[in-house]
Amino acid sequence: ISLFSIAVAKLPSVNPKNTIARLQNADSVCTKLEPTLPNECYCSQPHNFGFVVECLKVFDGTYFNDTIGIQLVMDLCDPDDGLRLSLDVTELNHGIEFPIQQVRAGKQTNIPIPGLAVHVPGVMDLGLDVSILVDGNLERLQMEVGLNACAGVGTHNVCASDIYGLNKVLPWWILKGTYSFGSDYCDGEEEKDGEEVALSTI
């Protein structure tokens, strides 16, 4: 069983009575998310209370040549944790699989991917990170999720955005924006029957 399948299975169960309405709502969520996604990513909503973004990114540059897959599972209505994000990062060249579980709202973090680095000749090796910011609530949710590369130099960090040429490759964002789902998005299933889910980028 894949990590992606496990993460989806943890989402709240569906009331079959509302399946058609929920599929319509799912379409409206991803239809409005997709304009903000890179071409390498696809949005789906296997359940009405969250969404999944899957990406396969080929990096074919001077400093970084690799293929990275990312599966992002966002649970917007977890009864215990509220907003919750999980990722599964895979890398082709070295067969790396790296899960990141249960990042909650209010968190900003850079998580190094073990064994992956960007080599910049004459400068240094920058470790490849998953950069995550999730902040706010369902009415105004800021999300920045993607790949970056940074290294500590003395008391400072040097990142890909500071290096000419590499700054055209990294950071690479899957989600980057502020989204409004509506304060009643997680209301009871019966109340949401046939209701349109509003999601917009601010």
Side-chain angles (χ1 to χ4, degrees):
I1 301 175
S2 70
L3 291 170
F4 172 66
S5 299
I6 294 172
V8 171
K10 290 182 178 179
L11 293 174
S13 60
V14 175
N15 182 344
K17 177 180 177 181
N18 296 330
T19 299
I20 295 177
R22 294 191 182 285
L23 288 174
Q24 293 171 345
N25 291 344
D27 289 341
S28 68
V29 169
C30 282
T31 296
K32 294 185 178 180
L33 261 183
E34 283 172 348
T36 71
L37 298 177
N39 293 333
E40 299 89 350
C41 297
Y42 173 76
C43 173
S44 62
Q45 193 176 9
H47 194 281
N48 196 53
F49 295 112
F51 60 86
V52 176
V53 175
E54 299 177 82
C55 307
L56 185 64
K57 173 64 174 176
V58 178
F59 293 94
D60 186 17
T62 303
Y63 301 125
F64 188 42
N65 193 311
D66 208 337
T67 300
I68 306 292
I70 298 179
Q71 294 172 323
L72 180 158
V73 179
M74 186 71 181
D75 187 348
L76 298 169
C77 306
D78 184 272
D80 298 318
D81 301 321
L83 300 167
R84 185 182 65 184
L85 181 150
S86 300
L87 297 101
D88 186 16
V89 181
T90 57
E91 184 268 350
L92 180 64
N93 292 349
H94 304 91
I96 294 172
E97 182 170 332
F98 183 57
I100 300 171
Q101 298 293 331
Q102 297 186 354
V103 178
R104 296 175 177 85
K107 297 283 187 178
Q108 181 174 12
T109 184
N110 291 309
I111 303 173
I113 303 174
L116 288 183
V118 179
H119 179 63
V120 184
V123 183
M124 65 186 70
D125 286 343
L126 306 178
L128 193 66
D129 301 336
V130 178
S131 182
I132 302 172
L133 168 64
V134 181
D135 194 27
N137 52 43
L138 288 174
E139 291 187 83
R140 189 174 179 85
L141 182 63
Q142 182 182 5
M143 292 190 290
E144 296 181 4
V145 183
L147 298 175
N148 202 358
C150 295
V153 180
T155 59
H156 299 86
N157 273 348
V158 175
C159 294
S161 56
D162 303 314
I163 300 174
Y164 179 77
L166 188 56
N167 60 358
K168 298 180 180 179
V169 179
L170 294 169
W172 179 72
W173 299 107
I174 300 169
L175 292 172
K176 186 175 175 65
T178 302
Y179 304 89
S180 177
F181 293 82
S183 60
D184 61 347
Y185 183 83
C186 297
D187 285 354
E189 290 188 29
E190 295 299 326
E191 295 178 3
K192 295 191 70 63
D193 216 1
E195 179 183 338
E196 181 180 1
V197 175
L199 172 61
S200 60
T201 302
I202 299 174

